[in-house]
Amino acid sequence: MTANHILDRASLRPRSRKPSPPEGLNNAKARSRSIARTRRREERVGWAMLGPAVLLLIVFVFVPALLAFGLAFTNARLMAPYAPSFVGLDNFVRLFQDETFWHSLVNVAYFAVVVVPVQSALALAMALLINVKVRGVNFFRTLYFLPVVTSMVVVSLLWLFIYRQDGLLNEIIDKATFGLVHGPDWLNNTSTAMPAIILMSVWQAAGFHMIIWLSGLQTIPADLYEAAAIDGVGGWQRFRYITWPSLRPTRNLILVTITIQALSLFTQVNVMTQGGPLESTSTIVYQAVQTGFQQQETSYASAISLVFFVLVLIISGVQRYLTREKS
């Protein structure tokens, strides 16, 4: 038999084929590939949407923080004919010998010690008042929150006119006492300037923390209150044994946020008192801004900012430790 006959016969034989995978398996693979492509596309879209925010954080937060850390150890000025040079810890030595810094630190501590408990308690009381289902409650929610959406500069200017010697507050005092009591010049008196700023600050920011308290109140199961009502538990006992323990995560958050805001006091002082009278309302942030931009001592302002950052970090860490979940 010749080779041609063998090839002809081989060509007539049926060729063996590999078994094709089931149709369901192909569909599953196609779906998994489609899901993977969708996820990758969603990730790319997410990063694209996150990109502008990350860029802004890098440019306006991380880069200035790194620059401040570096400038704190130099003699750089905002406008100077010479190049900055390394001076070591000279700015920090000068800072801790600066009486204005210590006055500012005491003022900030005084402001925070008063504002944190007063503002959080007022916000909680407001949240309890509006956490009811009655007609017209949305009006009061809006009314309480209105100062928050108003610019702090506008609020400070408004209260600046209220606190004037011939302002609204003194007029009310004069009318209420039939002229027997005359109000002081609130913002030009060392004993009343900081309390006046505290009053205005609590009034302006209480609405924001009221919303946080309200969100915490609405996460408490209604079954607990229903069971307490069946057992004849009074209002104070319901608050003490149900409401207050259930608000633990919320009050920890509010404690940290109010403390940081209080330590960062600046706008009210800048608009209303400019740190006076006699540095009775000067704060660390206000001193840093004035030193850096008005006196153009960039390096010294950076040292103040760095010390302020460390103080806030320590206080926040202590608060976090004291309010942690205990096993």
Side-chain angles (χ1 to χ4, degrees):
M1 185 178 293
T2 63
N4 292 332
H5 290 91
I6 295 174
L7 291 175
D8 292 339
R9 291 184 179 183
S11 62
L12 296 175
R13 292 175 185 173
R15 297 179 180 179
S16 60
R17 298 180 179 179
K18 295 182 179 180
S20 59
E23 184 178 355
L25 182 60
N26 290 332
N27 294 336
K29 290 182 178 179
R31 284 196 300 269
S32 64
R33 288 194 294 268
S34 177
I35 292 173
R37 287 195 298 269
T38 303
R39 287 179 177 175
R40 288 194 296 268
R41 185 167 56 251
E42 290 178 350
E43 288 178 358
R44 288 195 295 269
V45 172
W47 281 110
M49 297 177 67
L50 191 63
V54 173
L55 180 62
L56 290 175
L57 283 174
I58 293 174
V59 173
F60 293 103
V61 177
F62 295 111
V63 171
L66 293 176
L67 288 176
F69 182 81
L71 291 174
F73 300 92
T74 67
N75 61 349
R77 296 181 62 88
L78 193 62
M79 297 179 63
Y82 54 85
S85 60
F86 181 77
V87 295
L89 299 176
D90 290 355
N91 289 319
F92 297 95
V93 173
R94 174 187 170 188
L95 178 62
F96 292 123
Q97 295 176 349
D98 189 353
E99 293 184 0
T100 302
F101 170 74
W102 292 108
H103 289 160
S104 301
L105 183 61
V106 171
N107 293 334
V108 167
Y110 169 42
F111 183 85
V113 167
V114 177
V115 165
V116 171
V118 173
Q119 184 172 306
S120 57
L122 178 61
L124 177 58
M126 293 162 59
L128 292 172
L129 289 175
I130 64 174
N131 189 33
V132 292
K133 296 181 180 180
V134 295
R135 181 174 297 180
V137 68
N138 290 331
F139 168 77
F140 289 99
R141 291 180 181 181
T142 305
L143 185 65
Y144 293 158
F145 193 73
L146 187 60
V148 179
V149 298
T150 306
S151 170
M152 178 59 79
V153 175
V154 175
V155 173
S156 300
L157 289 172
L158 174 64
W159 282 77
L160 181 62
F161 288 103
I162 292 176
Y163 284 138
R164 288 175 54 178
Q165 184 72 50
D166 56 349
L168 178 61
L169 182 57
N170 284 344
E171 287 293 328
I172 293 175
I173 294 174
D174 185 71
K175 299 296 183 183
T177 60
F178 301 101
L180 298 177
V181 178
H182 300 284
D185 191 358
W186 297 92
L187 297 177
N188 291 318
N189 190 321
T190 56
S191 61
T192 60
M194 183 58 78
I197 293 178
I198 289 174
L199 177 62
M200 185 272 290
S201 301
V202 170
W203 173 83
Q204 190 273 338
F208 173 75
H209 297 96
M210 174 198 70
I211 298 298
I212 301 178
W213 281 120
L214 183 62
S215 64
L217 289 172
Q218 293 180 348
T219 61
I220 301 175
D223 298 342
L224 298 177
Y225 293 107
E226 294 175 359
I230 293 174
D231 293 337
V233 178
W236 168 248
Q237 291 179 324
R238 286 199 301 268
F239 175 81
R240 181 179 179 183
Y241 295 106
I242 298 177
T243 305
W244 186 247
S246 301
L247 291 174
R248 179 185 179 89
T250 306
R251 69 173 182 263
N252 293 344
L253 172 63
I254 288 179
L255 177 64
V256 173
T257 55
I258 295 181
T259 302
I260 294 176
Q261 289 177 355
L263 296 176
S264 305
L265 175 65
F266 169 72
T267 305
Q268 302 93 304
V269 172
N270 187 44
V271 174
M272 301 175 71
T273 62
Q274 293 79 47
L278 300 177
E279 299 179 350
S280 61
T281 59
S282 178
T283 65
I284 298 177
V285 177
Y286 178 80
Q287 183 187 6
V289 172
Q290 290 295 107
T291 303
F293 292 98
Q294 184 174 351
Q295 303 174 11
Q296 300 187 3
E297 296 187 68
T298 311
S299 58
Y300 189 51
S302 300
I304 297 174
S305 302
L306 188 59
V307 171
F308 173 73
F309 170 75
V310 173
L311 288 175
V312 172
L313 191 64
I314 292 173
I315 294 173
S316 300
V318 171
Q319 288 181 334
R320 179 64 179 172
Y321 175 78
L322 295 177
T323 60
R324 72 190 188 282
E325 292 287 343
K326 298 179 181 179
S327 57

